[in-house]
Amino acid sequence: RNLTFHGFRPHPELPALRAACDVLLVPYQRQVGIAGGASQDGSTIAPLKLIEGLAAGKPLIASRLPVASEILTHGETGLLAAPDDVQEWEAALDSLRNPALRQRMGTAARALHALRFTWEARAAAVLALAGQATAAGGMQ
């Protein structure tokens, strides 16, 4: 296996690093360390890395936690693996040795991003919710 840990990189460098990858990993944990040595429940974190991965058009493997499961469809737009099961992550990586599967999932990931997570798509979703709230309020 060829797995490279790049360590911390400034945000402007990340698109080029993602583009050079065959597969992107999003290993969210059940508990996440935060400043001051505290931790928070991993289900409450913002899925920004996952959304950036979708935009890159690469196949994703993410932790099977609500934050990722609400976005990815296992086997279609990515693969989900238990955050603490190394063998499951290995099996997911092995399945993505298939170039056709990587291409299909990467294309589906980019399409999902375009549909739900661009600035325009997010703004449209917010405006639609605001319209529903206004309509519901006017009917009372």
Side-chain angles (χ1 to χ4, degrees):
R1 298 182 204 274
N2 294 321
L3 184 63
T4 303
F5 291 94
H6 293 278
F8 176 81
R9 292 288 186 259
H11 196 266
E13 291 181 19
L14 299 182
L17 286 171
R18 282 191 290 270
C21 294
D22 293 322
V23 175
L24 300 173
L25 305 180
V26 188
Y28 295 134
Q29 298 300 301
R30 295 183 199 285
Q31 290 291 313
V32 179
I34 58 175
S39 67
Q40 73 180 53
D41 185 340
S43 66
T44 62
I45 59 175
L48 297 178
K49 301 301 179 222
L50 182 59
I51 292 168
E52 289 173 341
L54 293 172
K58 300 289 181 168
L60 297 156
I61 304 172
S63 296
R64 190 181 306 106
L65 295 173
V67 68
S69 298
E70 291 172 4
I71 294 172
L72 294 180
T73 300
H74 182 76
E76 293 179 26
T77 54
L79 297 174
L80 298 165
D84 49 1
D85 188 336
V86 173
Q87 288 78 24
E88 196 172 347
W89 283 81
E90 287 176 350
L93 275 170
D94 283 342
S95 73
L96 289 173
R97 289 179 186 262
N98 178 327
L101 180 60
R102 284 197 314 270
Q103 178 65 40
R104 182 176 60 78
M105 282 194 182
T107 299
R110 183 171 282 146
L112 176 62
H113 181 270
L115 180 67
R116 290 184 49 201
F117 297 107
T118 62
W119 287 108
E120 294 82 6
R122 298 299 300 151
V126 168
L127 290 173
L129 285 173
Q132 290 173 3
T134 300
M139 294 169 40
Q140 292 178 354

